[in-house]
Amino acid sequence: MRHPLAVISLLLLVSPVLADDLDDFIRDQLRKRHVPGLSIAIIQDGKIVKAMTYGSATKNGTTPLTTATLFQAGSISKSVAAAGALYLTEAGKLSLDEDVNVKLRTWKVPENEFTKDKKVTLRGLLSHTTGLTVHGFPGYEVGKPIPTIPQILNGTAPANTAPVRVDFVPGTKWRYSGGGYTVMQQLMLDVTGKPFPQFMKETVLGPMGMAESTYQQPLPADKAKLTATGYYGDRSEVKGRWHIYPEMAAAGLWTTPSDLARFAIGIQQAFAGKPKAVLSQEMTRQMLTDQKDNDGLGVFLEGEGHTMRFGHNGRDEGFDALLTAGVETGQGVAIMINANDNSRMMGRIVDAVAKKYNWTGYKVTTAIERKAVAVEAKTLAAYEGRYEFANNRMITFMADKGRLVTLVDGFADEEFVPETPTRFVSVDRDAYLTVTPDETGKITGLVWKHGTDERTIPRIGPLLNMLKPNKDSNEARTHQIETALKATIQGGKSVADVPGMSPGARRDFASGVPELAGFKSIVFISDADVTGRGIERHDGKVAHVLNYKLTSDKASKYILVYLTSDGLLTDYDVVDK
């Protein structure tokens, strides 16, 4: 199943778009992906050269976006908050390599066997190397109780995520942790004695010219009326229009692409040693130095030398965002949309910007015009279905007008043209699919090739809207699955106590999964034996994929349930078809 956005690579692929067709290209992308609105700011020569909006603040199209419309920045909040923490470091109030418990007052990181010799430090918090848990946060519905930071860190009511704890030796490996940034927020509160939004406005947002931006959660009325409405992947509206994020440093920034561009320009200027920057040149160089796995201090890094770029992706409930900028090139782009979109759309738009503005050192791959051969509809239909693209990452193909297209969030995304009846090539990039039936003629996987990456991606199963419900031969198992699915909505003790769940799923669903909110029941469709295909979810080897019709308060959908060989639920995916 899909979880809050982990870390997406800033290496983006180029789409075929003419240099003077950027606006039309963006509008076309929004139309194809059913995204209500997009706001963008483009940096060239260290200045914002274009700030534009497309579409609407609401799905019904009655409220046009403006460049002052506020969006939630999701995890880009971390990059901006990192500048505040580094400001405090330069002021002598924090130290990058000191045990954070020295300065924490309201709450302290619980000591355990992992912290015996290595301690949690600010450097580790900023670079996701502390061993602290909790990847991300779902936020809180408007009108619901909002926890304090200590309640969030302890995982106590009304917090909706697990306790933040160290579960590997700090510094030994990288793992994304929004929980770590929430510890940093408490650390900054304790050393400044100021509310986090006030401190950030005084030291970072104000000095960098980010006049529209705020970390206030919830928003005051004058700001709330300037916001876009958020929409989920299926384009249903977020209840209350958005969620509230008390985890401000990790996910709580309301902003605009122009303000994010100003932040990026501020970092570029500080790196160049220009006067009146928020951070010194020396501190900025530390911020943009790889700590582990291309992660600096609050930003992710790509490339090296003169053409190195820094940035971050972001996701809150109903909002996605992207920021990438050259450290020395004076180029960059910030994009924000009022939807959760899991396609390659954002990357394609960055590619189009990079091509139009001739980004220095940006790898451009010109798409080749593809010539399609005719393939029988019956043959294409046999290739439709879901495949395990990578660990816990599914890709779905659907036949459409003699081609295969990927299906993401229920909408078409990438198009693959048949070169032969068994070999297909992307119209966007040099990516190829080759169908590989087994000795009986059954399709159990595809060969995926992109550059040097060539591998077999195993078949999970067909599109479910093509199947009819069958008699459920194991109603007790279905009941157990229903109970486990309902437990994942609550997380915490519900997940810890429910029977029939794999250890990995129990661990990874501990924070709760609001995706299934409103879940009522499931109706059995089919059971596929996928033993030996190499599908693994949450550390559990998948032996069976059970398909069900899902009934909830929202529109009816389908759900794939992944079971291990001993019948334990180890994952699920909610799908439209």
Side-chain angles (χ1 to χ4, degrees):
M1 66 171 297
R2 222 170 257 118
H3 294 288
L5 182 71
V7 179
I8 302 174
S9 167
L10 294 176
L11 180 59
L12 300 160
L13 302 162
V14 173
S15 299
V17 56
L18 298 177
D20 56 357
D21 285 344
L22 180 59
D23 293 333
D24 289 340
F25 178 75
I26 291 174
R27 292 188 182 99
D28 186 55
Q29 290 292 306
L30 296 181
R31 178 185 58 79
K32 287 180 178 179
R33 297 297 305 156
H34 298 256
V35 172
L38 178 146
S39 186
I40 189 170
I42 299 171
I43 305 166
Q44 189 77 356
D45 299 322
K47 299 175 183 177
I48 298 174
V49 295
K50 180 171 184 170
M52 280 282 291
T53 61
Y54 310 82
S56 174
T58 57
K59 195 166 66 172
N60 60 21
T62 58
T63 309
L65 290 174
T66 74
T67 54
T69 301
L70 292 173
F71 294 75
Q72 288 186 326
S75 288
I76 301 178
S77 306
K78 296 178 175 67
S79 299
V80 181
L86 295 176
Y87 174 92
L88 289 172
T89 302
E90 292 211 274
K93 293 189 176 183
L94 291 176
S95 171
L96 281 172
D97 299 305
E98 179 182 67
D99 180 356
V100 294
N101 277 346
V102 172
K103 299 274 178 28
L104 280 167
R105 296 286 180 266
T106 309
W107 179 93
K108 291 184 183 291
V109 176
E111 300 284 356
N112 59 25
E113 69 271 26
F114 301 109
T115 61
K116 183 179 178 181
D117 297 316
K118 297 287 187 178
K119 302 299 181 182
V120 172
T121 65
L122 177 58
R123 186 186 300 277
L125 296 176
L126 290 167
S127 60
H128 301 285
T129 56
T130 60
L132 285 167
T133 57
V134 183
H135 178 278
F137 300 99
Y140 297 83
E141 284 186 17
V142 173
K144 295 292 181 69
I146 306 299
T148 63
I149 297 303
Q151 285 174 327
I152 293 167
L153 295 173
N154 287 326
T156 56
N160 59 12
T161 48
V164 177
R165 299 291 186 264
V166 177
D167 70 355
F168 66 75
V169 176
T172 57
K173 59 183 178 179
W174 182 94
R175 184 184 64 200
Y176 194 81
S177 173
Y181 271 75
T182 308
V183 172
M184 186 184 82
Q185 180 178 331
Q186 186 62 62
L187 178 65
M188 294 168 72
L189 287 168
D190 284 345
V191 299
T192 65
K194 293 183 178 181
F196 188 77
Q198 178 187 342
F199 169 77
M200 288 301 300
K201 180 179 180 180
E202 292 173 354
T203 59
V204 178
L205 303 182
M208 284 191 169
M210 301 172 68
E212 309 293 338
S213 303
T214 181
Y215 276 96
Q216 290 174 282
Q217 294 281 345
L219 279 174
D222 61 326
K223 291 283 189 184
K225 65 183 181 182
L226 301 175
T227 60
T229 296
Y231 295 88
Y232 291 109
D234 63 1
R235 305 303 178 253
S236 62
E237 184 176 326
V238 175
K239 188 176 180 180
R241 299 183 60 219
W242 59 75
H243 277 189
I244 295 169
Y245 290 84
E247 308 91 351
M248 300 172 194
L253 179 64
W254 281 95
T255 188
T256 66
S258 292
D259 271 7
L260 289 182
R262 293 181 185 101
F263 171 76
I265 292 168
I267 298 301
Q268 291 171 335
Q269 292 176 341
F271 186 85
K274 294 188 177 181
K276 298 183 180 180
V278 168
L279 300 177
S280 69
Q281 184 179 46
E282 181 183 355
M283 183 59 74
T284 306
R285 289 182 183 275
Q286 284 208 60
M287 183 184 195
L288 300 177
T289 296
D290 182 12
Q291 306 295 310
K292 192 179 286 289
D293 293 353
N294 298 315
D295 193 352
L297 300 177
V299 292
F300 294 106
L301 307 171
E302 173 136 24
E304 56 186 20
H306 177 63
T307 59
M308 184 172 75
R309 297 198 307 278
F310 66 94
H312 215 294
N313 294 78
R315 169 167 290 184
D316 279 347
E317 300 290 293
F319 295 89
D320 281 358
L322 180 151
L323 172 66
T324 183
V327 175
E328 298 182 58
T329 63
Q331 297 168 317
V333 66
I335 305 171
M336 307 188 84
I337 61 175
N338 56 335
N340 295 139
D341 187 78
N342 296 294
S343 75
R344 298 180 57 250
M345 182 191 77
M346 296 274 266
R348 283 191 285 260
I349 293 172
V350 174
D351 298 334
V353 170
K355 187 172 184 179
K356 178 171 183 177
Y357 288 89
N358 299 309
W359 279 11
T360 304
Y362 191 92
K363 186 177 181 181
V364 176
T365 304
T366 303
I368 302 169
E369 185 176 350
R370 310 301 188 185
K371 185 176 180 179
V373 302
V375 180
E376 290 185 1
K378 181 180 177 181
T379 301
L380 283 176
Y383 302 160
E384 288 186 316
R386 295 182 170 82
Y387 298 81
E388 188 77 347
F389 186 75
N391 190 7
N392 200 29
R393 184 179 171 196
M394 185 171 64
I395 188 168
T396 303
F397 293 102
M398 179 180 70
D400 182 50
K401 299 176 182 177
R403 305 183 177 198
L404 290 177
V405 296
T406 60
L407 196 64
V408 184
D409 303 324
F411 308 112
D413 186 35
E414 190 171 6
E415 186 177 316
F416 287 80
V417 172
E419 290 187 323
T420 74
T422 59
R423 180 177 165 87
F424 296 75
V425 60
S426 169
V427 300
D428 284 349
R429 50 180 172 158
D430 289 324
Y432 298 85
L433 305 170
T434 304
V435 182
T436 55
D438 65 14
E439 61 276 5
T440 67
K442 187 177 181 181
I443 297 168
T444 59
L446 301 174
V447 173
W448 166 271
K449 187 176 188 302
H450 177 226
T452 58
D453 177 16
E454 183 171 353
R455 55 201 157 90
T456 297
I457 55 175
R459 183 176 173 86
I460 294 172
L463 299 180
L464 299 189
N465 63 333
M466 305 300 292
L467 303 177
K468 294 182 178 180
N470 287 305
K471 179 176 175 55
D472 189 350
S473 61
N474 193 338
E475 293 183 357
R477 179 179 64 180
T478 294
H479 176 70
Q480 179 173 297
I481 289 170
E482 276 191 341
T483 303
L485 291 174
K486 289 177 180 177
T488 67
I489 303 171
Q490 303 299 322
K493 194 172 187 300
S494 296
V495 166
D497 295 343
V498 73
M501 190 176 289
S502 74
R506 225 180 271 284
R507 176 196 66 219
D508 295 336
F509 296 160
S511 296
V513 186
E515 180 183 24
L516 282 178
F519 165 65
K520 292 181 179 178
S521 63
I522 51 177
V523 176
F524 179 80
I525 297 177
S526 63
D527 177 357
D529 187 341
V530 296
T531 304
R533 293 191 189 177
I535 302 172
E536 184 175 312
R537 296 293 184 95
H538 303 287
D539 300 333
K541 296 184 184 302
V542 178
H544 286 264
V545 178
L546 276 62
N547 302 313
Y548 292 94
K549 186 74 177 287
L550 173 67
T551 304
S552 71
D553 291 342
K554 299 180 180 179
S556 293
K557 295 190 176 185
Y558 299 91
I559 187 166
L560 289 73
V561 176
Y562 301 83
L563 299 184
T564 62
S565 58
D566 48 0
L568 299 179
L569 184 151
T570 196
D571 202 4
Y572 63 85
D573 282 306
V574 177
V575 297
D576 293 285
K577 295 184 179 181

